[in-house]
Amino acid sequence: MENRIPLIAGNWKMNKTVPESIETVKTLVKLTADVQGVDMLIAPPFTSLWAVGDVLKHTKIALGAQDMFWESHGAFTGQVSADMLRSCGCSHVIIGHSERRQFFGETNQTVNKKLKAALAAGLIPIFCIGETEIERETQKTFSVLDKQLIQGVEGLILDDHHPLVIAYEPVWAIGTGKTALPEQAQEVHAYVRSLFAKVFGNSLAKKIRILYGGSVKPDNISELMGLPDVDGALVGGASLEPESFNKIIHF
Ligand code: 13P
């Protein structure tokens, strides 16, 4: 078993005003003061990044954004660049979330551009992949993941100074209360790690953290974290309440 530090990340999606965000993280900081040996991260909406970053300064909780654009600046109304995220205190950025693929036209190609731009700016991407229910039912899970991973990471240069986190989020498990069975999660995580090894070599593949996402709750986290290739979780709904997120962090 490799020495990978678990990462528990909360994706708030389109939830919480600025005052609500501040209140939530203040409580979370207090609840998690004793945490050791687990990395923690919160990804609030863009509007709350600066305020949340201010609360998280000098704490053990890292700040992430939920998306970014690949260009550095210019006439791209509504978009946010990697440097802007850095200036809010972000160390991480979620890229390729299934909701962006489903509702906002994200493709493996746009994901690839965003991953390159994030790494170039010194952000650690949390690169999301995952199959839909119909893809799983028609035995396409592995071919879909192959394509998402291989096209997503094409041309990336990764090393200890330019790390990447992968999040496997089966689309059918997101917000549905259906979690992947432990054997399903382990099977995919081990597969993703072996695929990653083919592209980037064994030593990097052993170091990379692969998070599971999709209806992670306080009552299923410990089973998931017991799986050899699950290195953490990307939590949606259960990260909105500091008490439940804290329970997940204390798996
Ligand atoms: P839920 O935990 O609400 O299922 O969301 C998972 C997710 O999409 C995290 O990015």
Side-chain angles (χ1 to χ4, degrees):
M1 178 72 191
E2 281 303 307
N3 216 1
R4 296 185 292 268
I5 298 170
L7 169 63
I8 306 290
N11 172 11
W12 286 357
K13 309 191 178 183
M14 197 178 74
N15 290 289
K16 296 188 189 291
T17 61
V18 175
E20 287 164 354
S21 302
I22 293 172
E23 202 186 311
T24 306
V25 275
K26 278 189 175 165
T27 310
L28 188 68
V29 167
K30 280 188 206 139
L31 291 172
T32 56
D34 65 325
V35 172
Q36 276 179 354
V38 176
D39 289 344
M40 303 175 275
L41 178 141
I42 285 290
F46 288 134
T47 43
S48 293
L49 281 174
W50 174 259
V52 168
D54 201 39
V55 177
L56 294 183
K57 239 180 243 166
H58 313 301
T59 74
K60 292 179 278 189
I61 306 176
L63 184 69
Q66 299 175 14
D67 185 33
M68 54 166 268
F69 192 49
W70 58 80
E71 293 290 348
S72 61
H73 62 276
F76 302 104
T77 301
Q79 296 294 334
V80 171
S81 74
D83 280 346
M84 293 173 188
L85 300 182
R86 290 286 309 257
S87 76
C88 286
C90 288
S91 52
H92 292 68
V93 57
I94 298 171
I95 290 180
H97 192 279
S98 65
E99 287 148 17
R100 302 237 35 109
R101 295 177 190 259
Q102 194 180 343
F103 303 123
F104 304 101
E106 193 86 87
T107 64
N108 294 335
Q109 286 66 39
T110 58
V111 166
N112 178 252
K113 287 188 190 186
K114 290 181 180 186
L115 290 174
K116 283 181 181 152
L119 287 164
L123 286 168
I124 302 173
I126 302 178
F127 168 32
C128 300
I129 55 174
E131 81 288 1
T132 62
E133 187 153 39
I134 187 81
E135 287 163 347
R136 178 161 280 269
E137 279 170 0
T138 52
Q139 278 73 49
K140 295 203 185 100
T141 299
F142 294 101
S143 62
V144 167
L145 294 172
D146 269 10
K147 222 171 163 184
Q148 289 177 340
L149 192 84
I150 300 297
Q151 294 184 355
V153 301
E154 203 201 321
L156 294 195
I157 297 164
L158 299 176
D159 54 37
D160 288 345
H161 304 290
H162 298 89
L164 175 84
V165 175
I166 296 177
Y168 168 57
E169 300 204 309
V171 179
W172 48 272
I174 296 178
T176 57
K178 291 189 211 168
T179 325
L181 296 171
E183 53 272 26
Q184 289 173 325
Q186 172 55 27
E187 184 187 30
V188 169
H189 281 235
Y191 178 76
V192 168
R193 198 179 303 284
S194 69
L195 196 58
F196 192 86
K198 278 190 200 152
V199 185
F200 294 104
N202 255 327
S203 109
L204 211 57
K206 280 186 192 159
K207 283 188 204 161
I208 199 155
R209 292 189 284 192
I210 308 177
L211 313 183
Y212 171 79
S215 297
V216 173
K217 304 282 178 237
D219 60 6
N220 59 23
I221 183 69
S222 59
E223 190 171 34
L224 289 161
M225 293 306 293
L227 301 168
D229 284 291
V230 173
D231 308 312
L234 183 55
V235 186
S239 72
L240 296 174
E241 294 297 328
E243 289 76 15
S244 65
F245 194 49
N246 176 53
K247 281 188 195 152
I248 293 173
I249 289 166
H250 284 90
F251 64 87

